[in-house]
Amino acid sequence: MLENPGMGEQALNKAAEIGLSSQLDEVEKLDVNVKTDPLKVVQGQVDSVTIEGEGLVMQKDLRMEEMQMEIDSVAINPLSVAFGKIELTKPTTGNARVVLTEADINRAFNSEYVSSQLQSQKINVNGKPTKITPQHIELSLPGEDKIALNAEILLAETSESKQVAFSAIPRVSDNGQSVALENVDYSEREEISPELTKALIEQTSQILNLSNFDLKGMSLRLKQLIVEVGKLTLQAEAYVEQIPST
């Protein structure tokens, strides 16, 4: 088995790339690099698996500008290699890095999924419950660890258009699974509905929820969120039960 280690690694790389791609809506670039040698494979060991991707689109129209994952000391079923698969015999952990640009987050905000989520709610505006339709939502990353949101919302009952604007600092939750917005600073341009702002804050947190980035057999726990001008970088621990393959 794997008499030619280069060919063996190449087959495993390709199988994992195809398996991962099958779970994504769009892929610009995806490389899987399996490091091993024939003797270790027979013993059920792989030194490391590195996954690097660009322009990966997940469910709910959430796009990642970059994704990198490195998994070390992987225990595998050696028989699975003969079928071009990496079948883990026990879970393992690794490190992951995800980069989202302003454009990536705005793509998700203006997707059909988020629009339907917001339209399904009735929000109290001026003391009256009303359905809302997001006309346009724009999130920006101006720096200073902040995100800023500017939204144009149509009130269904009155056909009024409302502008909602606020900035906030995103923080990682204690369980590492979600992002909360703190130090919310509201725009003073006009009186707005606290419920409407709350709904938009919750939707922002949901878009940045790490479960959105989970693939079959892989989940992430957020360790650090880095907010820079124009982009968000999520550093996470990866918990891997299986690596998708053909």
Side-chain angles (χ1 to χ4, degrees):
M1 192 187 303
L2 285 187
E3 291 179 3
N4 183 331
M7 287 299 292
E9 289 175 357
Q10 191 175 7
L12 291 176
N13 295 347
K14 197 65 183 173
E17 285 167 14
I18 294 170
L20 286 163
S21 296
S22 70
Q23 296 194 38
L24 299 163
D25 289 346
E26 293 176 34
V27 176
E28 287 177 21
K29 182 182 177 183
L30 181 63
D31 292 315
V32 179
N33 190 5
V34 178
K35 288 290 183 188
T36 187
D37 65 55
L39 180 60
K40 287 187 175 180
V41 167
V42 172
Q43 296 171 341
Q45 298 173 8
V46 169
D47 290 333
S48 67
V49 179
T50 304
I51 302 167
E52 294 186 350
E54 295 176 11
L56 308 181
V57 180
M58 314 282 292
Q59 57 179 339
K60 303 172 187 173
D61 220 17
L62 184 56
R63 179 185 181 277
M64 294 181 280
E65 175 70 11
E66 297 175 35
M67 190 271 280
Q68 297 171 339
M69 186 182 295
E70 186 162 341
I71 311 158
D72 297 318
S73 303
V74 182
I76 65 166
N77 174 2
L79 295 177
S80 69
V81 178
F83 299 98
K85 295 185 178 182
I86 312 171
E87 183 183 309
L88 272 61
T89 55
K90 63 180 181 181
T92 188
T93 57
N95 294 309
R97 175 177 172 270
V98 173
V99 177
L100 306 176
T101 65
E102 277 182 7
D104 295 334
I105 301 170
N106 283 313
R107 171 179 173 149
F109 254 123
N110 290 284
S111 68
E112 282 187 27
Y113 174 78
V114 169
S115 181
S116 64
Q117 288 283 100
L118 289 169
Q119 287 183 57
S120 68
Q121 303 180 46
K122 274 208 165 188
I123 306 293
N124 272 323
V125 179
N126 299 327
K128 296 178 182 178
T130 182
K131 285 205 165 188
I132 61 172
T133 302
Q135 300 292 90
H136 183 69
I137 300 175
E138 184 176 359
L139 182 138
S140 60
L141 300 166
E144 298 181 346
D145 296 330
K146 290 183 179 180
I147 65 170
L149 194 80
N150 199 316
E152 184 181 345
I153 305 293
L154 186 70
L155 308 182
E157 271 76 359
T158 62
S159 297
E160 285 180 88
S161 182
K162 293 279 187 182
Q163 289 288 131
V164 181
F166 62 84
S167 64
I169 296 176
R171 298 280 188 226
V172 180
S173 65
D174 291 339
N175 64 8
Q177 281 303 308
S178 59
V179 173
L181 299 188
E182 299 179 352
N183 300 346
V184 179
D185 185 17
Y186 302 97
S187 167
E188 299 297 331
R189 285 185 298 180
E190 61 173 297
E191 189 67 30
I192 55 172
S193 160
E195 280 194 29
L196 182 54
T197 305
K198 182 172 179 283
L200 290 168
I201 289 172
E202 287 175 355
Q203 203 61 59
T204 306
S205 297
Q206 284 184 33
I207 286 174
L208 298 177
N209 189 321
L210 268 195
S211 65
N212 292 329
F213 302 95
D214 290 348
L215 294 167
K216 187 177 180 182
M218 305 171 128
S219 58
L220 301 178
R221 184 177 185 275
L222 189 57
K223 295 197 297 187
Q224 188 180 13
L225 180 67
I226 303 165
V227 186
E228 300 172 89
V229 176
K231 71 176 183 179
L232 281 176
T233 302
L234 294 78
Q235 305 275 12
E237 180 182 62
Y239 179 77
V240 183
E241 294 180 280
Q242 287 299 336
I243 296 171
S245 56
T246 52

